[in-house]
Amino acid sequence: MALTRPNDYLHAVPKKPTAGLPTREQILDFIATSDVPAGKREIARAFGLSAQEKIALKARLKDMADEGLIDSAPGRAFHRMGGLPKVTVLRIVDVDDGGNVWAEPERWEADTPSPRIRVRERSRRGALAVGERILARTEEAGQGWIAHPMKVLQRSAEQIIGVLRADGDRLFLQSVDKKERRDWAVSDAGEARAGDLVLAEMAGRPPRITARVVQRLGDPFAPRSFSLIAIHKLGIPDVFSEDALAEAERVARQPLGDGREDLTHLPIVAIDPADARDHDDAVWAAPDDDSGNDGGWKAIVAIADVSFYVRPDTAIDREARRRGNSVYFPDRVVPMLPEVLSADVCSLKAGEDRAALACHLQVTKAGALASWRFTRATVRLAANIAYEDAQAAIDAPTAANPGRRWDAALIETALAPLWDCWRALAAARDKREPLALDLPERRVQLDEKGRIMSVAPRERLDAHRLIEDYMIAANVAAAKALEAKKAPVMYRVHEPPAREKLMALKDYLATFGVPFALGQVIRPATFNHILERVGDAEFRPEIMEQVLRTQTQAYYAPANHGHFGLSLGSYAHFTSPIRRYADLMVHRALVSAYALGPGGLKGDEDFERAGETISALERRAMEAERDTIDRYVAAFLSERVGELVEARITGVASFGFFATVEGVGGDGLMPVRDLGSEYFRYDEGARQLIGEHSGDRYAQGQRIALRLAEANPVSGALRFELPEGRYASPTGRQNGSSRPPRVLKRRGRPANIRHQGGKR
């Protein structure tokens, strides 16, 4: 009977290879001790095998693989089953608080759990991030494995999400990436068929690259497929390990602990979106009559005490750090924490005793923060209220209240004081003049079966601003409280715009006749004053979008460089530990600095490295959410293909312009080759295309009627055409000329393009 465990052969293995066909024990020993990947050729050379013995070796290696003794790695090198190849591809799965990088094999087919491998980085420059792939040399060290990186592999080269299409008797893969124009021949479709959404691996070398289907994902047009595409495309972890789930169930049952401040008697309320899946924060305010703060307020921002349940270096913590944040889609949420914590025990719910980290604030009559303190507390919310209901209760407290959406008594005890205190906070905010960009957020509304009902801008209410200002106050207090203790802080950093972007903004504003002096000190108010000068002009949305593009991207770091957009010197995220790992780190720092009990920092956390990692994961989540919205918008518009739509030009390039459908969103391309037979000059500074003879201009911000030619829900891409038989001027008038035939390209550029004002 064949043995199935490699160790059964290790009781008598020779130290060195001997001549002749090697035994199973000798092969296993050679594979384990070889300094290079051990393929059939290396084994044959080491044992000095003849041609006939090489044939026998091939058969023996096959038998050993069938018996579960060895496995082969890419490149035909062998390794002991349950072990690792000498050189293999690893995927980075974790960067812990100590800066240690951990990886797992990209390919693992053994019955035993996949090993976690510590990666020894040669330099801090170009630090590895979660999700990256590396080619590495591996070695056993004690009871574990160590990897030495040899090369960082391109993510785009590993796998691709796409839809299979048939062309005769052959299958091709169309990528879901709107930037990818190529199709790939499919070498192995498995059980997938034409029309299926699949995950495929790319193989071969240019120009003969083929796709091999590794997983069938289902119907690409099913309601829940749009978010699934983003999850797979970007490698977002959406399944918790069994260890993390079991641990979450266990810690969820633990008592809240002693020494908590009892706040259950206060009418604390949570105000959230109507479809909120978790509730991190709740608020309370009342006049401050006891401390001599004449006309001021006392307020509490109660935040879910996640650090009490999620301790450092536990299975739940490793999963949370690997995800970095929750990812929200119209049809689902991929949570940072297991559901028993994120949607239940840690979520602040009305009528339930919950563990909270409470930020106690004293707010002056002018809205300044006079003092703050932090305690661990027990809260019992008086209500969970939707933004719209809270706003309606304040605007018309005596109006009809169908379904008792709000408690009349709660208005007096909770909502009215919250609004009064907020007016002071709002006045202080207006005084410091943060960046005021009120860009609409698209909201995709689905029915109970996940089908799209509408896509429209989300309404912005005072109730939204109220919660935002309380959260900002608590975040400032958290940063300053940690600074006072000289404790580590994970700041939310937003640096001022770079000069290059300011110069580009100056040139852009000049095309609208709006002056912008670069010699002044740039503050958020500088941009607000630009918008004030623009007023209610038709191009105001375009100016706001360009001001937004001028800003730097916010990130997490332990070094404080302030928050430019909010006009604040010290700012840290504290208010959403259920869905952001950065907030959990701030909670742990507060627990340690103020001796609030268990669940504090370990003491050796690398905040710099953690900040880099969670900033990258935040960008990944934003990309996933944005791409999914684009797919829903394309699906919504697919029923209007062939119709004329009101669009607005959002970007201009030498090859054409991009436009978005007014009131809905989604970006699509209008190729320059379809604008007419005349030459169009591309003015890079003014960001417009100019007809050389007609003078027609197509510039960013202009509104135009276009025909929707294509709306692809799988990629999220739109494509526009001009109204049939005509071409449109940017003023909206129609030129009666017949639409010209497609123009051939010369030297990689459409023949009817000339550049102006920029490098080619």
Side-chain angles (χ1 to χ4, degrees):
M1 181 177 65
L3 298 175
T4 58
R5 291 182 293 121
N7 288 342
D8 291 335
Y9 289 106
L10 299 183
H11 60 280
V13 292
K15 296 297 182 183
K16 296 181 180 180
T18 57
L21 181 65
T23 65
R24 285 172 165 78
E25 296 94 328
Q26 290 172 325
I27 292 173
L28 289 171
D29 185 48
F30 177 75
I31 290 172
T33 58
S34 175
D35 292 331
V36 297
K40 182 165 68 73
R41 179 182 302 174
E42 288 74 23
I43 297 172
R45 183 182 298 119
F47 287 92
L49 302 186
S50 66
Q52 194 64 33
E53 287 171 333
K54 289 179 182 178
I55 296 174
L57 174 65
K58 181 178 180 181
R60 178 158 292 179
L61 291 172
K62 182 179 184 302
D63 289 342
M64 292 176 69
D66 292 342
E67 293 165 8
L69 296 176
I70 59 173
D71 192 12
S72 61
R76 300 297 183 182
F78 293 99
H79 60 91
R80 185 183 300 151
M81 183 66 77
L84 282 172
K86 293 293 182 183
V87 176
T88 188
V89 177
L90 305 175
R91 187 185 301 275
I92 307 302
V93 296
D94 189 17
V95 181
D96 64 26
D97 292 338
N100 296 312
V101 179
W102 298 90
E104 291 181 357
E106 184 171 59
R107 180 174 176 266
W108 186 257
E109 297 180 358
D111 294 334
T112 56
S114 174
R116 281 171 61 87
I117 306 141
R118 187 161 64 87
V119 179
R120 283 187 175 172
E121 291 190 272
R122 290 173 289 186
S123 170
R124 292 187 62 83
R125 295 182 62 186
L128 295 171
V130 173
E132 287 190 300
R133 300 165 66 244
I134 60 171
L135 182 68
R137 180 172 57 82
T138 65
E139 63 173 332
E140 282 190 273
Q143 299 299 313
W145 290 84
I146 291 176
H148 303 274
M150 299 168 62
K151 181 181 180 181
V152 177
L153 304 178
Q154 292 184 359
R155 296 189 187 197
S156 59
E158 54 177 51
Q159 291 182 330
I160 186 171
I161 305 289
V163 177
L164 296 181
R165 70 170 180 85
D167 187 355
D169 58 354
R170 301 183 65 189
L171 287 176
F172 290 85
L173 183 71
Q174 293 179 309
S175 172
V176 300
D177 189 344
K178 67 177 71 175
K179 297 178 182 178
E180 183 57 69
R181 305 293 183 185
R182 296 171 295 173
D183 291 354
W184 287 274
V186 176
S187 60
D188 181 4
E191 298 180 357
R193 298 291 180 265
D196 284 346
L197 179 69
V198 298
L199 176 66
E201 289 181 346
M202 309 310 294
R205 295 181 179 179
R208 295 187 177 181
I209 297 178
T210 60
R212 182 179 70 87
V213 174
V214 297
Q215 185 179 356
R216 179 183 179 275
L217 302 178
D219 180 359
F221 301 102
R224 291 174 61 84
S225 288
F226 301 139
S227 55
L228 189 65
I229 290 171
I231 289 169
H232 281 275
K233 175 186 172 186
L234 297 172
I236 296 173
D238 63 335
V239 177
F240 286 100
S241 69
E242 292 184 5
D243 288 345
L245 292 173
E247 188 175 86
E249 291 287 349
R250 179 176 56 78
V251 301
R253 295 191 295 269
Q254 68 184 6
L256 299 186
D258 300 327
R260 290 186 177 274
E261 182 181 17
D262 187 358
L263 300 178
T264 57
H265 61 288
L266 296 177
I268 302 175
V269 296
I271 304 176
D272 291 299
D275 56 354
R277 299 171 170 101
D278 47 55
H279 306 277
D280 291 273
D281 55 85
V283 288
W284 170 87
D288 189 4
D289 300 326
D290 303 327
S291 62
N293 185 13
D294 186 30
W297 303 87
K298 51 187 176 182
I300 294 174
V301 178
I303 306 299
D305 190 1
V306 175
S307 65
F308 180 71
Y309 296 97
V310 182
R311 307 292 173 86
D313 281 343
T314 59
I316 314 172
D317 182 51
R318 287 191 292 271
E319 283 278 3
R321 190 167 52 237
R322 185 163 72 101
R323 295 162 184 245
N325 43 251
S326 298
V327 188
Y328 293 88
F329 300 106
D331 65 316
R332 73 176 85 195
V333 60
V334 179
M336 185 180 79
L337 301 175
E339 189 172 354
V340 68
L341 297 178
S342 62
D344 188 9
V345 174
C346 289
S347 191
L348 304 182
K349 297 182 179 180
E352 301 283 346
D353 284 358
R354 289 289 188 261
L357 195 57
C359 173
H360 297 256
L361 300 171
Q362 278 192 317
V363 182
T364 68
K365 185 177 181 179
L369 298 184
S371 66
W372 48 80
R373 64 184 179 91
F374 291 85
T375 65
R376 268 186 157 150
T378 303
V379 299
R380 186 184 302 138
L381 267 57
N384 291 93
I385 311 174
Y387 283 116
E388 295 80 5
D389 292 342
Q391 190 68 56
I394 288 295
D395 291 345
T398 60
N401 186 7
R404 291 186 57 80
R405 292 181 299 166
W406 63 84
D407 184 346
L410 202 62
I411 298 175
E412 182 178 353
T413 60
L415 296 183
L418 276 172
W419 250 261
D420 290 341
C421 178
W422 168 65
R423 292 185 182 98
L425 290 172
R429 178 174 184 164
D430 291 342
K431 185 176 181 180
R432 72 172 190 270
E433 295 186 284
L435 190 60
L437 294 177
D438 200 8
L439 292 167
E441 177 186 355
R442 287 177 294 171
R443 180 188 181 191
V444 176
Q445 190 169 4
L446 308 177
D447 63 16
E448 66 280 357
K449 293 184 178 180
R451 296 171 301 196
I452 307 165
M453 295 174 60
S454 65
V455 180
R458 192 184 296 270
E459 187 179 8
R460 178 81 166 157
L461 304 171
D462 280 349
H464 293 96
R465 298 182 178 91
L466 174 139
I467 293 300
E468 187 176 276
D469 283 332
Y470 277 107
M471 298 305 110
I472 289 172
N475 289 337
V476 170
K480 291 186 175 294
L482 290 172
E483 290 171 351
K485 288 286 188 176
K486 294 182 169 49
V489 187
M490 184 60 78
Y491 290 101
R492 180 63 167 177
V493 179
H494 183 226
E495 298 187 53
R499 179 169 177 80
E500 293 78 9
K501 289 191 174 184
L502 292 173
M503 293 175 64
L505 177 65
K506 174 182 172 67
D507 293 341
Y508 178 73
L509 292 174
T511 65
F512 293 93
V514 178
F516 178 49
L518 289 179
Q520 59 186 314
V521 175
I522 302 298
R523 300 182 296 113
T526 305
F527 300 107
N528 296 341
H529 296 160
I530 291 173
L531 297 176
E532 289 172 5
R533 287 197 293 270
V534 170
D536 295 327
E538 188 180 38
F539 53 83
R540 179 183 176 88
E542 289 74 56
I543 299 295
M544 284 198 294
E545 287 179 4
Q546 194 58 39
V547 169
L548 179 63
R549 292 191 182 103
T550 303
Q551 307 306 308
T552 60
Q553 189 167 39
Y555 62 93
Y556 294 103
N560 186 16
H561 298 288
H563 198 295
F564 176 82
L566 292 175
S567 194
L568 292 169
S570 296
Y571 192 69
H573 276 166
F574 159 78
T575 55
S576 296
I578 289 178
R579 62 185 181 90
R580 292 190 303 227
Y581 197 80
D583 302 52
L584 177 55
M585 294 186 73
V586 170
H587 276 232
R588 288 173 176 167
L590 288 166
V591 168
S592 294
Y594 287 88
L596 299 179
L601 295 175
K602 287 190 309 177
D604 61 345
E605 286 85 348
D606 186 341
F607 270 50
E608 181 178 353
R609 188 61 166 276
E612 294 173 359
T613 300
I614 57 182
S615 295
L617 294 175
E618 178 190 44
R619 290 191 289 272
R620 180 181 70 176
M622 292 170 62
E623 181 181 354
E625 292 169 359
R626 181 178 61 248
D627 286 357
T628 301
I629 293 292
D630 284 346
R631 291 186 178 94
Y632 272 106
V633 167
F636 182 71
L637 290 173
S638 63
E639 298 180 359
R640 299 183 60 186
V641 169
E643 297 181 11
L644 288 180
V645 295
E646 292 298 319
R648 179 170 54 86
I649 298 176
T650 57
V652 181
S654 62
F655 51 81
F657 61 79
F658 292 90
T660 185
V661 180
E662 286 281 73
V664 177
D667 282 317
L669 176 65
M670 179 70 210
V672 71
R673 61 175 175 253
D674 294 337
L675 294 180
S677 58
E678 68 175 318
Y679 285 104
F680 275 81
R681 187 174 71 250
Y682 174 49
D683 187 334
E684 189 171 3
R687 301 181 192 182
Q688 58 185 358
L689 293 167
I690 306 169
E692 193 165 79
H693 300 296
S694 67
D696 281 345
R697 296 171 183 262
Y698 297 91
Q700 188 167 315
Q702 292 174 340
R703 286 168 171 78
I704 187 172
L706 297 172
R707 187 178 303 281
L708 183 60
E710 181 183 347
N712 187 338
V714 175
S715 66
L718 307 179
R719 185 172 62 83
F720 296 109
E721 294 177 347
L722 294 176
E724 189 174 355
R726 296 173 177 269
Y727 65 89
S729 74
T731 58
R733 73 180 192 276
Q734 303 293 323
N735 187 309
S737 301
S738 297
R739 183 173 167 184
R742 191 166 293 213
V743 180
L744 296 176
K745 292 185 178 181
R746 292 202 301 260
R747 296 180 183 178
R749 184 183 300 130
N752 56 336
I753 278 293
R754 292 179 182 172
H755 270 260
Q756 174 178 306
K759 295 181 180 180
R760 298 194 178 195

